[in-house]
Amino acid sequence: SQQGEEDPQALSIQEGENATMNCSYKTSINNLQWYRQNSGRGLVHLILIRSNEREKHSGRLRVTLDTSKKSSSLLITASRAADTASYFCATDESNQGGKLIFGQGTELSVKP
Amino acid sequence: NAGVTQTPKFQVLKTGQSMTLQCAQDMNHNSMYWYRQDPGMGLRLIYYSASEGTTDKGEVPNGYNVSRLNKREFSLRLESAAPSQTSVYFCASSAGQGRAFFGQGTRLTVV
Protein backbone atom coordinates (compact mmCIF):
# COMPACT_ATOMS: atom_id res chain seq x y z
CA SER A 1 0.00 0.00 0.00
CA GLN A 2 1.06 3.56 -0.54
CA GLN A 3 2.81 5.52 2.17
CA GLY A 4 0.79 8.69 1.86
CA GLU A 5 -2.97 8.81 2.09
CA GLU A 6 -4.66 11.99 1.09
CA ASP A 7 -7.89 13.50 2.14
CA PRO A 8 -10.17 14.49 0.57
CA GLN A 9 -9.90 12.56 -2.69
CA ALA A 10 -11.76 15.36 -4.45
CA LEU A 11 -12.47 18.96 -3.53
CA SER A 12 -14.62 21.51 -5.37
CA ILE A 13 -14.56 25.18 -4.34
CA GLN A 14 -15.27 28.64 -5.74
CA GLU A 15 -12.59 31.04 -6.86
CA GLY A 16 -11.33 33.10 -3.97
CA GLU A 17 -11.94 30.41 -1.37
CA ASN A 18 -9.17 28.54 0.44
CA ALA A 19 -8.42 24.88 -0.28
CA THR A 20 -7.00 22.53 2.33
CA MET A 21 -5.65 19.08 1.56
CA ASN A 22 -4.34 16.61 4.09
CA CYS A 23 -1.76 13.85 3.88
CA SER A 24 -1.04 11.09 6.36
CA TYR A 25 1.94 8.72 6.21
CA LYS A 26 3.23 5.69 8.04
CA THR A 27 7.01 5.67 8.52
CA SER A 28 9.80 8.03 9.54
CA ILE A 29 10.67 10.58 6.90
CA ASN A 30 13.48 12.91 5.91
CA ASN A 31 11.07 15.31 4.28
CA LEU A 32 7.60 15.61 2.80
CA GLN A 33 6.94 17.18 -0.57
CA TRP A 34 3.87 18.43 -2.40
CA TYR A 35 3.44 18.22 -6.16
CA ARG A 36 0.86 19.38 -8.64
CA GLN A 37 -0.23 17.64 -11.83
CA ASN A 38 -2.36 19.11 -14.56
CA SER A 39 -4.38 16.46 -16.27
CA GLY A 40 -2.14 13.74 -17.62
CA ARG A 41 1.00 15.84 -17.60
CA GLY A 42 4.24 15.53 -15.64
CA LEU A 43 4.39 16.51 -11.99
CA VAL A 44 5.58 19.90 -10.85
CA HIS A 45 7.20 20.35 -7.46
CA LEU A 46 5.47 22.88 -5.20
CA ILE A 47 7.12 22.82 -1.80
CA LEU A 48 9.34 20.66 0.43
CA ILE A 49 9.21 20.62 4.22
CA ARG A 50 11.92 18.86 6.22
CA SER A 51 11.20 16.63 9.19
CA ASN A 52 12.53 19.23 11.63
CA GLU A 53 10.28 21.98 10.23
CA ARG A 54 6.69 22.58 11.29
CA GLU A 55 5.45 25.14 8.77
CA LYS A 56 6.55 26.56 5.45
CA HIS A 57 5.17 29.18 3.10
CA SER A 58 5.59 29.79 -0.59
CA GLY A 59 3.41 32.47 -2.17
CA ARG A 60 -0.21 31.38 -1.67
CA LEU A 61 0.85 27.98 -0.37
CA ARG A 62 1.18 27.07 3.28
CA VAL A 63 2.36 23.62 4.36
CA THR A 64 2.37 22.24 7.88
CA LEU A 65 3.99 19.06 9.15
CA ASP A 66 3.21 17.20 12.36
CA THR A 67 5.67 14.34 12.70
CA SER A 68 4.06 13.12 15.94
CA LYS A 69 0.79 12.55 14.06
CA LYS A 70 2.56 11.65 10.82
CA SER A 71 0.48 14.14 8.91
CA SER A 72 0.80 17.21 6.72
CA SER A 73 -1.56 19.73 5.23
CA LEU A 74 -1.40 21.96 2.17
CA LEU A 75 -3.38 25.17 2.19
CA ILE A 76 -3.90 27.16 -0.99
CA THR A 77 -5.25 30.60 -0.20
CA ALA A 78 -7.40 32.76 -2.48
CA SER A 79 -7.72 29.97 -5.05
CA ARG A 80 -7.94 30.65 -8.77
CA ALA A 81 -9.43 28.63 -11.61
CA ALA A 82 -5.85 27.98 -12.75
CA ASP A 83 -5.23 26.05 -9.49
CA THR A 84 -7.50 23.29 -10.81
CA ALA A 85 -5.26 20.19 -10.83
CA SER A 86 -4.39 17.08 -8.85
CA TYR A 87 -2.18 17.55 -5.81
CA PHE A 88 0.04 14.83 -4.38
CA CYS A 89 2.09 14.50 -1.26
CA ALA A 90 5.28 12.46 -1.37
CA THR A 91 7.43 11.23 1.49
CA ASP A 92 11.18 10.77 1.40
CA GLU A 93 11.55 7.80 3.73
CA SER A 94 14.32 7.77 6.31
CA ASN A 95 17.07 5.18 5.86
CA GLN A 96 15.73 4.17 2.46
CA GLY A 97 18.27 5.87 0.23
CA GLY A 98 15.92 8.56 -0.97
CA LYS A 99 12.93 6.36 -1.71
CA LEU A 100 10.13 8.77 -2.64
CA ILE A 101 6.61 7.45 -2.14
CA PHE A 102 3.47 9.24 -3.34
CA GLY A 103 -0.03 9.40 -2.01
CA GLN A 104 -3.11 8.90 -4.16
CA GLY A 105 -3.74 12.60 -4.54
CA THR A 106 -6.49 15.16 -4.14
CA GLU A 107 -8.31 16.35 -7.24
CA LEU A 108 -9.03 20.06 -6.81
CA SER A 109 -11.59 21.87 -8.94
CA VAL A 110 -11.83 25.65 -8.62
CA LYS A 111 -14.92 27.11 -10.24
CA PRO A 112 -14.83 30.63 -11.62
CA ASN B 1 18.65 22.58 -19.94
CA ALA B 2 16.52 19.56 -20.88
CA GLY B 3 15.98 18.19 -17.33
CA VAL B 4 14.51 14.67 -17.49
CA THR B 5 13.87 13.20 -20.92
CA GLN B 6 11.81 10.07 -21.48
CA THR B 7 11.38 8.13 -24.67
CA PRO B 8 9.11 7.13 -26.25
CA LYS B 9 6.11 9.34 -25.44
CA PHE B 10 3.57 6.78 -26.68
CA GLN B 11 3.79 3.05 -27.29
CA VAL B 12 1.37 0.26 -28.13
CA LEU B 13 2.54 -3.29 -27.48
CA LYS B 14 0.99 -6.66 -28.01
CA THR B 15 0.78 -9.02 -25.06
CA GLY B 16 4.06 -10.86 -24.67
CA GLN B 17 6.20 -8.30 -26.48
CA SER B 18 9.14 -6.68 -24.75
CA MET B 19 10.31 -3.10 -24.71
CA THR B 20 12.61 -0.71 -22.89
CA LEU B 21 11.63 2.74 -21.72
CA GLN B 22 14.55 5.14 -21.71
CA CYS B 23 15.18 7.95 -19.27
CA ALA B 24 18.04 10.43 -19.10
CA GLN B 25 18.72 13.42 -16.88
CA ASP B 26 21.27 16.16 -17.29
CA MET B 27 21.23 17.59 -13.75
CA ASN B 28 23.97 15.35 -12.32
CA HIS B 29 21.47 13.81 -9.89
CA ASN B 30 22.33 10.69 -7.93
CA SER B 31 18.78 9.40 -7.46
CA MET B 32 16.48 8.25 -10.23
CA TYR B 33 13.01 6.71 -10.15
CA TRP B 34 10.45 4.92 -12.25
CA TYR B 35 6.75 5.28 -11.42
CA ARG B 36 3.54 4.14 -12.98
CA GLN B 37 0.29 6.06 -12.75
CA ASP B 38 -3.09 4.44 -13.15
CA PRO B 39 -6.42 6.27 -12.87
CA GLY B 40 -7.28 6.91 -9.24
CA MET B 41 -4.07 5.26 -7.97
CA GLY B 42 -1.64 8.12 -7.82
CA LEU B 43 2.00 7.33 -8.60
CA ARG B 44 3.37 3.99 -7.54
CA LEU B 45 7.10 3.43 -7.32
CA ILE B 46 8.36 0.59 -9.51
CA TYR B 47 12.12 0.81 -8.97
CA TYR B 48 14.55 3.43 -7.84
CA SER B 49 18.29 3.96 -7.91
CA ALA B 50 20.00 5.93 -5.16
CA SER B 51 23.27 6.11 -7.05
CA GLU B 52 25.05 4.82 -10.11
CA GLY B 53 25.38 1.05 -9.85
CA THR B 54 22.57 0.51 -7.33
CA THR B 55 18.91 -0.29 -7.82
CA ASP B 56 16.13 -1.17 -5.38
CA LYS B 57 12.59 -2.42 -5.66
CA GLY B 58 9.74 -0.08 -5.04
CA GLU B 59 6.07 -0.80 -4.37
CA VAL B 60 5.22 -2.62 -7.62
CA PRO B 61 8.38 -4.18 -9.15
CA ASN B 62 6.91 -7.42 -10.52
CA GLY B 63 7.14 -7.71 -14.30
CA TYR B 64 9.81 -5.04 -14.64
CA ASN B 65 13.58 -4.80 -14.67
CA VAL B 66 15.79 -1.74 -14.55
CA SER B 67 19.32 -0.76 -15.44
CA ARG B 68 21.22 2.23 -14.13
CA LEU B 69 23.51 2.44 -17.12
CA ASN B 70 25.47 5.40 -15.80
CA LYS B 71 24.73 8.46 -13.70
CA ARG B 72 22.59 10.00 -16.45
CA GLU B 73 20.50 7.07 -17.63
CA PHE B 74 17.98 4.76 -15.97
CA SER B 75 16.02 2.39 -18.18
CA LEU B 76 12.93 0.32 -17.46
CA ARG B 77 12.35 -2.97 -19.26
CA LEU B 78 9.18 -4.95 -19.70
CA GLU B 79 10.25 -8.46 -20.67
CA SER B 80 6.81 -9.83 -21.52
CA ALA B 81 4.17 -7.14 -21.54
CA ALA B 82 0.74 -7.81 -20.06
CA PRO B 83 -2.50 -5.77 -20.33
CA SER B 84 -2.17 -5.00 -16.60
CA GLN B 85 0.94 -2.97 -17.46
CA THR B 86 -1.10 -0.50 -19.49
CA SER B 87 -0.35 2.75 -17.70
CA VAL B 88 1.45 6.06 -17.83
CA TYR B 89 5.08 5.72 -16.81
CA PHE B 90 7.07 8.56 -15.31
CA CYS B 91 10.78 8.82 -14.75
CA ALA B 92 12.16 11.25 -12.19
CA SER B 93 15.48 12.29 -10.70
CA SER B 94 16.60 14.11 -7.59
CA ALA B 95 19.76 15.13 -5.83
CA GLY B 96 18.75 12.92 -2.90
CA GLN B 97 16.53 14.18 -0.05
CA GLY B 98 15.47 16.99 -2.35
CA ARG B 99 12.81 17.82 -4.84
CA ALA B 100 12.27 15.46 -7.74
CA PHE B 101 12.14 16.49 -11.37
CA PHE B 102 9.83 14.54 -13.64
CA GLY B 103 9.80 13.64 -17.28
CA GLN B 104 6.67 14.14 -19.36
CA GLY B 105 5.65 10.51 -19.20
CA THR B 106 5.23 7.53 -21.53
CA ARG B 107 1.71 6.35 -22.32
CA LEU B 108 1.90 2.59 -22.76
CA THR B 109 -0.99 0.47 -23.98
CA VAL B 110 -0.71 -3.31 -24.01
CA VAL B 111 -3.33 -5.03 -26.16
Side-chain angles (χ1 to χ4, degrees):
Chain A
S1 63
Q2 293 186 257
Q3 160 82 309
E5 295 187 1
E6 294 177 66
D7 167 56
Q9 290 188 334
L11 180 60
S12 182
I13 59 174
Q14 296 293 132
E15 243 182 351
E17 293 180 337
N18 295 342
T20 299
M21 291 159 259
N22 302 296
C23 171
S24 60
Y25 58 92
K26 298 171 186 171
T27 64
S28 296
I29 60 171
N30 295 315
N31 63 66
L32 186 143
Q33 304 174 31
W34 286 89
Y35 290 81
R36 167 193 168 126
Q37 183 182 38
N38 287 84
S39 88
R41 296 191 157 191
L43 276 76
V44 174
H45 180 265
L46 295 175
I47 197 165
L48 180 154
I49 185 165
R50 302 198 184 282
S51 60
N52 60 353
E53 297 175 311
R54 292 296 166 259
E55 187 170 314
K56 205 160 183 180
H57 297 253
S58 177
R60 293 184 296 115
L61 305 180
R62 173 179 168 249
V63 169
T64 61
L65 179 64
D66 187 335
T67 52
S68 66
K69 294 181 179 177
K70 291 187 168 55
S71 67
S72 174
S73 67
L74 171 67
L75 169 66
I76 304 174
T77 60
S79 62
R80 306 165 182 167
D83 294 329
T84 294
S86 294
Y87 292 82
F88 297 91
C89 68
T91 49
D92 183 332
E93 297 185 347
S94 300
N95 304 319
Q96 292 291 328
K99 189 175 178 180
L100 194 60
I101 299 293
F102 281 78
Q104 294 189 12
T106 293
E107 195 172 325
L108 174 65
S109 174
V110 182
K111 300 185 189 315
Chain B
N1 193 339
V4 179
T5 303
Q6 288 182 236
T7 56
K9 288 190 169 56
F10 300 93
Q11 183 72 49
V12 178
L13 290 179
K14 294 183 178 177
T15 297
Q17 285 186 317
S18 62
M19 79 162 294
T20 299
L21 281 65
Q22 307 286 354
C23 175
Q25 52 91 9
D26 61 4
M27 295 171 282
N28 202 36
H29 286 163
N30 285 321
S31 299
M32 296 187 74
Y33 313 84
W34 275 107
Y35 294 91
R36 62 177 287 174
Q37 185 176 30
D38 303 304
M41 294 296 292
L43 276 75
R44 290 184 291 171
L45 182 64
I46 304 172
Y47 272 93
Y48 69 108
S49 170
S51 62
E52 184 180 352
T54 68
T55 61
D56 285 288
K57 293 179 180 179
E59 300 167 282
V60 287
N62 291 346
Y64 305 94
N65 286 302
V66 290
S67 295
R68 183 74 183 266
L69 304 169
N70 47 54
K71 195 170 188 179
R72 289 187 66 248
E73 297 171 289
F74 189 39
S75 62
L76 178 71
R77 184 160 177 84
L78 287 70
E79 290 291 351
S80 178
S84 60
Q85 294 178 306
T86 292
S87 190
V88 181
Y89 291 84
F90 288 100
C91 177
S93 72
S94 79
Q97 294 193 30
R99 59 167 291 187
F101 293 78
F102 281 81
Q104 287 304 301
T106 296
R107 292 187 178 274
L108 175 67
T109 302
V110 183
V111 298

